[in-house]
Amino acid sequence: MIDAIERRILARLAADSDLTSAALGEAVGLSASAVHRRVASLRERGLIAGYRAILSDAARGHPFVVVVNVTLRDQREETMSAFERAIVDCEEVRECLLMTGDADYMLYVEIRREDSFERVHREILSRLPGVARLASHFVIRQVIGRA
């Protein structure tokens, strides 16, 4: 269970994981050493899974994003496991989510400007094990992006 201070710590870190202990402590009303202990406890308890740098579009080559719904030919464990093992090696796939509803998986695919979605679709996505259908949706603009 987490208390109100830990909720505030988590909210601040979600907004800016680069905060120093002093800045984080000031924001939540604790000393730097007290907030450092709290953050260590949150990590040990598995409430903070890690930290990462969020790269700008420029650093990622100004990609465009395609959301791809993937329907597998069946939902047997071996079919899904084979797909999941293979998708890990697809560098263009930024995120893969197992879904309920019409599609089995939803992929967030980033296509670098010098590449084409046609190539990624033809040479990578359609060749993944178990794929029966791909439905692609091109992102026009990100309205909200939260880590």
Side-chain angles (χ1 to χ4, degrees), residues 91-107:
E91 70 180 51
E92 293 86 357
V93 177
R94 186 169 173 124
E95 194 168 346
C96 175
L97 306 166
L98 177 61
M99 304 297 292
T100 62
D102 294 333
D104 296 310
Y105 293 91
M106 181 183 294
L107 310 178

Side-chain angles (χ1 to χ4, degrees), residues 16 49-50 71 118 147:
D16 183 1
T71 304
E118 178 186 5

